[in-house]
Amino acid sequence: MPLPSAYCPNYYSIDDILATQERSPSKFLLNVPKMGKLNPSEGEIDLKAGTTLELPTWLVLEICTGRQPIVMPDLPKIYKESYREILKADACATFKTRFRQLMDLADNSISDPSVQQRLDTLERRLFRDSYNARTKLNAWLIESGATIEAANMVVNHKKRKRIDVEDLIN
Amino acid sequence: MYGEKGYALVKELSRCVDSLPPYNTDLVNEVANEIKLLIEQNEEDASISTDESSGGISLLSTMRIRHAAIKRNLRCFMAYHYNRIRCLRTMRWEFGSILPADIKVNLSASEIEWFSNYSRSLAKYMRSIGEEGVNLAVDLRPPKALYIEVRCLVDYGKFELNDGSVILLKKDSRHYLPRSECEELIRREFSNI
C-alpha cells in the first residue's frame, strides 16, 4: 500500500504536525534490534517481528514503504467497518443539524463563550470565518465609509491585559 | 516514544492564536538533545553494520526508525520557530516598531534580534518608496476627508504636528486633526474617531 509522504499543506503546518501524531495499529514485519522500548509492556531490548503496536502516523509513513517495509499499517479504529456503518447511518443528519446551529450562531453574533467551547476545531474555524464575514457585511451595510480601526492584535492584546488587571484586584 | 517533546512544542503554539507564548527554552533544548542523541546512536550503529557483513542488514531497520524520528523532531523544531517568527512579523505590522514590554519578555534573544533586523529592513524599504517614503503599516484605503475628528482614549501627553504646533492629548478631549498625522495613534488604540 503506497502512501504519499509529502507534507500537506506545507512543512511548517501546525495542523499537519498535530494530525500526523494520531496513532494507528501497525504490525512489525521484521525483527528490529534495540527498539524494545517502543513496546514498554514487554521490557525486552529487541522488537520481534509480528508485534502489533500503536504507532504515530509520521513514523508509519516513513517506514512502511521502500524496498523492505518494516511495518504493515492497519486502518485506525475509527475507520473500521463497524464505525463506518455508524457514520453512514447518522453522520449526515448530525452534520446538517450542527451546521444549521453554527450558521444561526454566526449570523446572530451572540458573544457567548460557552457555546464556542462546545464546537470542535473545524466547527470553531467555520464559526470564526462566518462570524467575521457577517460583521464585515454589517459594517459595510451600515456605513460604507472607510474608518481607521485599531489593529486586531493590538485590540486583543489590550483585552487580555484588562483581564489580567482584574485578576490581580480580585 | 520518540518525538513526544517536539509534539509538545507544537501543541503549545497551537493553543495560542494571535499571541506568543513564552519561548520554551527548556523544551527546545530537550528536543535538540533528543535529535543529537539519535544522530549519535545512528552513527554508532552505522559503523557497526559496515564492519560486520552479517549483522548489518538487521540494524538497518533500527536506523530507519531513528532517522524518521530525527526528521520528525527537526520538523517540529523548525515549525515551532517558523510559526513564532510569522506571528512576530504580523506584530511588526500591527504594533509598529516598538513592542509592548509584556510581549517582549516572551521572546528569545535571537527573536528580538530578528525583530529589530526585520523592522530595520521594512523601515528602509518604506523610506525608499516615492520621494519622502510611504508608511505602509497604516490604513491603505483612500481617505474621504483630510481632517477628522478624534477623541483621545488615554492621556497621551504632548503631540507635535508636522507644522510645528504642539497639542496636548488628554483623555476624553476632542480634536480636529489632519488624518495623516493621527492615523498611527488610532492604529495603536490611543484615540478613536
Side-chain angles (χ1 to χ4, degrees):
Chain A
M1 183 167 57
L3 289 170
S5 60
Y7 302 107
C8 173
N10 59 54
Y11 185 74
Y12 302 107
S13 160
I14 289 183
D15 286 338
D16 191 47
I17 292 178
L18 298 183
T20 44
Q21 188 72 17
E22 286 299 316
R23 286 155 185 265
S24 51
S26 314
K27 195 174 170 189
F28 278 83
L29 304 172
L30 301 171
N31 281 327
V32 188
K34 297 187 188 175
M35 278 292 150
K37 67 172 176 180
L38 290 185
N39 186 10
S41 61
E42 288 290 321
E44 287 176 21
I45 301 167
D46 298 348
L47 202 65
K48 300 247 161 38
T51 325
T52 306
L53 282 182
E54 296 257 322
L55 294 179
T57 313
W58 57 263
L59 182 59
V60 175
L61 283 175
E62 286 287 330
I63 58 176
C64 72
T65 50
R67 258 186 307 160
Q68 208 175 23
I70 301 170
V71 293
M72 174 73 190
D74 197 5
L75 282 176
K77 262 188 218 132
I78 48 163
Y79 293 119
K80 288 269 173 64
E81 195 67 42
S82 53
Y83 276 85
R84 283 209 296 260
E85 289 296 327
I86 300 172
L87 286 177
K88 246 184 232 163
D90 200 30
C92 201
T94 318
F95 178 73
K96 264 186 194 159
T97 42
R98 285 201 73 100
F99 188 70
R100 194 168 294 158
Q101 279 178 4
L102 205 63
M103 286 277 291
D104 274 350
L105 269 179
D107 274 355
N108 295 318
S109 56
I110 318 159
S111 51
D112 183 2
S114 68
V115 182
Q116 275 200 48
Q117 276 160 11
R118 285 212 309 266
L119 308 175
D120 68 11
T121 320
L122 174 71
E123 286 175 328
R124 207 170 299 165
R125 201 170 294 176
L126 263 175
F127 171 77
R128 217 174 40 213
D129 285 352
S130 52
Y131 177 74
N132 286 343
R134 169 55 66 171
T135 10
K136 267 186 196 160
L137 178 68
N138 281 347
W140 183 78
L141 284 175
I142 292 166
E143 48 171 331
S144 37
T147 53
I148 316 169
E149 281 162 1
N152 227 340
M153 269 183 174
V154 181
V155 178
N156 286 340
H157 180 241
K158 293 234 165 115
K159 274 185 202 155
R160 221 166 280 139
K161 222 193 274 176
R162 227 163 275 156
I163 291 167
D164 289 349
V165 173
E166 276 164 20
D167 282 349
L168 287 178
I169 294 167
N170 295 332
Chain B
M1 192 65 220
Y2 298 121
E4 293 288 347
K5 284 167 193 146
Y7 176 71
L9 263 188
V10 176
K11 187 94 193 165
E12 193 181 284
L13 266 196
S14 78
R15 289 203 193 94
C16 321
V17 188
D18 273 3
S19 68
L20 280 177
Y23 185 79
N24 199 334
T25 322
D26 294 342
L27 207 52
V28 166
N29 286 340
E30 279 179 37
V31 175
N33 284 337
E34 192 180 317
I35 297 176
K36 255 184 235 157
L37 186 73
L38 284 166
I39 292 177
E40 275 165 20
Q41 286 174 343
N42 256 3
E43 275 176 353
E44 206 175 283
D45 286 350
S47 60
I48 293 172
S49 49
T50 44
D51 290 346
E52 299 165 31
S53 51
S54 57
I57 297 164
S58 58
L59 270 181
L60 190 66
S61 46
T62 315
M63 281 153 61
R64 271 180 74 188
I65 292 179
R66 280 203 204 110
H67 186 67
I70 294 171
K71 274 168 77 176
R72 170 71 176 183
N73 271 323
L74 262 181
R75 188 180 178 202
C76 294
F77 193 82
M78 301 286 273
Y80 181 70
H81 290 94
Y82 174 80
N83 284 298
R84 281 180 70 93
I85 292 287
R86 265 178 73 111
C87 184
L88 207 55
R89 187 179 61 183
T90 324
M91 284 180 169
R92 168 62 184 83
W93 287 87
E94 306 222 326
F95 286 101
S97 54
I98 298 159
L99 284 178
D102 55 335
I103 289 185
K104 220 165 181 179
V105 291
N106 286 350
L107 304 179
S108 71
S110 39
E111 278 171 337
I112 290 175
E113 196 190 325
W114 182 89
F115 185 82
S116 63
N117 281 342
Y118 180 71
S119 204
R120 207 175 306 132
S121 348
L122 190 67
K124 199 176 157 196
Y125 173 68
M126 292 199 287
R127 269 201 308 276
S128 73
I129 310 172
E131 280 174 14
E132 289 176 4
V134 177
N135 186 357
L136 295 173
V138 295
D139 198 3
L140 292 179
R141 276 172 298 191
K144 293 222 160 120
L146 285 178
Y147 281 79
I148 49 173
E149 198 181 340
V150 293
R151 185 172 61 88
C152 296
L153 296 174
V154 291
D155 280 313
Y156 184 79
K158 283 177 179 167
F159 183 64
E160 193 175 338
L161 299 176
N162 275 352
D163 59 9
S165 58
V166 178
I167 53 165
L168 190 65
L169 294 179
K170 263 170 73 178
K171 189 167 189 264
D172 290 332
S173 62
R174 282 173 171 273
H175 303 270
Y176 197 58
L177 296 173
R179 186 185 165 109
S180 55
E181 309 218 2
C182 48
E183 231 163 359
E184 210 155 313
L185 294 180
I186 297 174
R187 289 285 286 176
R188 303 285 149 64
E189 249 200 344
F190 289 127
S191 56
N192 70 1
I193 300 169

